[in-house]
Amino acid sequence: MALVPALQVLTWPFLALTVFVLGRGWYLELSNGERWSSTWKKRSSVILVLSTLLAGTIWGLRFAGFLGGTPL
């Protein structure tokens, strides 16, 4: 129960961190072009798409009020 106020305060910094990290990943993904089409590049693209979808789903549930109170 003591964690609830701390998590409420940290909602916005965690959201900012999520956007920053995913934004950096997408920037690196899109800035490298299609010169290298290795297996690792394909795998990293899939992981980046899946992690973006997962983060969007979790934050959507958070702001909809399904994962605690709405932060707004």
Side-chain angles (χ1 to χ4, degrees), residues 44-63:
S44 66
S45 297
V46 169
I47 294 298
L48 184 59
V49 168
L50 292 176
S51 62
T52 302
L53 290 173
L54 179 64
T57 302
I58 290 173
W59 280 107
L61 290 172
R62 173 74 174 109
F63 280 101

Side-chain angles (χ1 to χ4, degrees):
M1 294 302 285
L3 292 176
V4 173
L7 291 177
Q8 288 175 342
V9 169
L10 292 175
T11 294
W12 297 107
F14 282 154
L15 178 60
L17 181 66
T18 302
V19 169
F20 174 75
V21 170
L22 286 174
R24 173 90 172 132
W26 279 107
Y27 170 75
L28 292 173
E29 176 71 24
L30 297 175
S31 67
N32 281 336
E34 293 295 326
R35 290 175 289 187
W36 300 98
S37 184
S38 68
T39 304
W40 288 105
K41 181 170 176 24
K42 292 175 187 175
R43 288 179 186 171
S44 66
S45 297
V46 169
I47 294 298
L48 184 59
V49 168
L50 292 176
S51 62
T52 302
L53 290 173
L54 179 64
T57 302
I58 290 173
W59 280 107
L61 290 172
R62 173 74 174 109
F63 280 101
F66 292 111
L67 297 176
T70 58
L72 300 175

